[in-house]
Amino acid sequence: MNQNVLLAMRKVTCKLNVCWSTKRGYLGKFHKYSILLVVVSALAGCQRNLTPVTSSVADTELKTALKVIELTFVEKKVALDEKPLQIDTLQYSIPTRVGSICTSSSYFDNKVRSKSNEFYKRNNLQTKWLGQTAPNSLYYAWIDVIKNCGTYGLHPEDYSVYSIDERIQLFYSQKNSGIEIYDMDMQLTDAFFLFTTHLIEGRITNANSGDRIWIKGAAKSDDITILLEINDSQTLREKIGSLHPASEQYIKLVSALERYRVLENGVHDGFPFIWESANINPNDVHEMIPLVRRRLEPTDWKFDSLMIDSLRYDEALVEAVKWFQFRHGLEPDGIIGAGTLKFLNQSYKEKSEVIELNLERLRWLPETYGDNYITVNVPEYQLRVYENQKLGLEMKVIVGLEETATPIFSDTLRYIVFMPTWSVPNSIIRDEIILRLQKDSTYYGGKNYIFYKNGTEFNPASVSWNNQIINSYNYSVVQQPGKSNSLGLVKFIMPNKMSIYLHDTPNHNLFNKTNRALSHGCVRLDDPDKLAEYLLKDQKDWRMETIDKAMKSDHSQTVFLTIPYPVHIEYFTAWVDDNGLVNFREDIYGHDKRQLAQLHAVRQKIAN
């Protein structure tokens, strides 16, 4: 080993000594690693008369020697760790302690406090992170995890790590008492459980947007047991990693968030507002065109530098706009209208926040979807069927209007009804049918509806609807099977109290629209016969010919699935597709707006 290698190793030794001598509790202990270097130096001395090694060989030897030091250091560090302290419950009452991190939410306050108290009870009332003279190595690994949690859309400041770390460093540089160690250790545990609760449940306790229903999945993991099992930095990182959503989409969105934050913090996010009162069409000359090019270049297109300031809406820009429209769910017609401008004027910071919110939503989903399942992404107007976790079928859907928003929830599809009847919901009887009858009592004659009052059938044309107080709950209306039935020729039932299901429709022209938020809340299918065929393919005697016959029958027929399919009605306004393209969609129900406001409010309370 030559002199250059030896010199480099001695420099490393000096740096390591300086680094670790600053940490109280490790003073004087690092000399054990110097012994290794003495041995290496002795070996170097034995080689002085050997042929000098080349620079590349020297580098290799240095790296090997440093690896030995590193491995030895890691092995010894555990032995040097501070031992946990036994909490003196006579001095410090765990259940009634005052110190805690600020969560700004009584829900999280109570949950975190409960988890922490239970943890210390099960941990034999010992500290987890701090010893008598220094924090242990687990503490430094935990702080590192928190400081890097912004990578996946969380914020280190929310867990008070900087203030806690500052307090701990000051504490160990002065005389200290056991009570303060206990309190700081529990604050760290509180921070741990707030963080893990956010990973398991998300940061928003109520996902509803006013009367728009959003039912979150139940909490999945036992983070108390997880913390009890964590005794080294590697296990800590593995256990924390297991709490993240186990989906490829989560990993893709994390990468997209990093990309858009780079754009947000770069020179690209200060463009002026792109305004226009009328559409900009291909080949138009317009003063806003250079701004459009500059907005699209970082994410969608690489333009000729000589054309960047051209006022003409040329062919290259048209293609870029079409690409932009496609990944924002707009009609890719190349016309710059209100919808396109709305997304063009959205800053990279705003898009970063939308990506972060959609990462949050992935944490609300069931821990696993299993092998076979159906998803409906409402803002995308798209249904997908997966078999063995691979896409087997997809189709367009129509979802609820903003005022009759489709609920976001998970359920199980259990049976199919061919040639269904439609029991009209009371809300439609109240808000639509009675209003029509008040204008024309004969309106529903010959339309295949049967009317009941208090369970007795009657003719609505025989009633004077304008001369009495109408209680809609006294009435029920059933539309009989047929081509004009509002449910079409087949419906797919996942029993739930909201009466939400998938079904056919007599008006398939609506699927040609880009914006398909048009229903009363249920999900209409563009290809219901194909879905029926797919779900029944393993059931004897059910082929497309049989299905077609059942859909044209003169009576209803119910078929139970031998393998029920979980259905997940979702609301994602940002995702990464199979081609790596970052997609955004219109916030059709205002969930983004309300949920982002909740996240901002929570962070503001914590900051104050």
Side-chain angles (χ1 to χ4, degrees), residues 409-471:
F409 69 110
S410 295
D411 211 315
T412 302
L413 198 162
R414 300 189 180 277
Y415 61 93
I416 302 171
V417 180
F418 295 104
M419 292 300 287
T421 59
W422 180 40
S423 297
V424 183
N426 181 265
S427 60
I428 297 178
I429 295 174
R430 180 190 66 232
D431 299 334
E432 296 182 26
I433 289 180
I434 290 177
L435 292 179
R436 285 198 181 112
L437 289 171
Q438 287 174 338
K439 295 178 180 178
D440 179 5
S441 63
T442 65
Y443 179 85
Y444 289 96
K447 294 187 183 298
N448 216 19
Y449 285 87
I450 298 178
F451 284 74
Y452 299 89
K453 182 176 182 180
N454 298 323
T456 302
E457 185 179 344
F458 75 101
N459 182 359
S462 66
V463 177
S464 179
W465 294 92
N466 291 313
N467 297 328
Q468 57 180 308
I469 298 175
I470 304 298
N471 182 351

Side-chain angles (χ1 to χ4, degrees), residues 355-374:
I355 293 172
E356 179 182 317
L357 176 60
N358 282 272
L359 282 167
E360 173 85 357
R361 289 169 178 164
L362 284 167
R363 301 182 186 110
W364 303 345
L365 299 177
E367 190 166 9
T368 177
Y369 276 10
D371 292 330
N372 305 323
Y373 55 91
I374 297 170

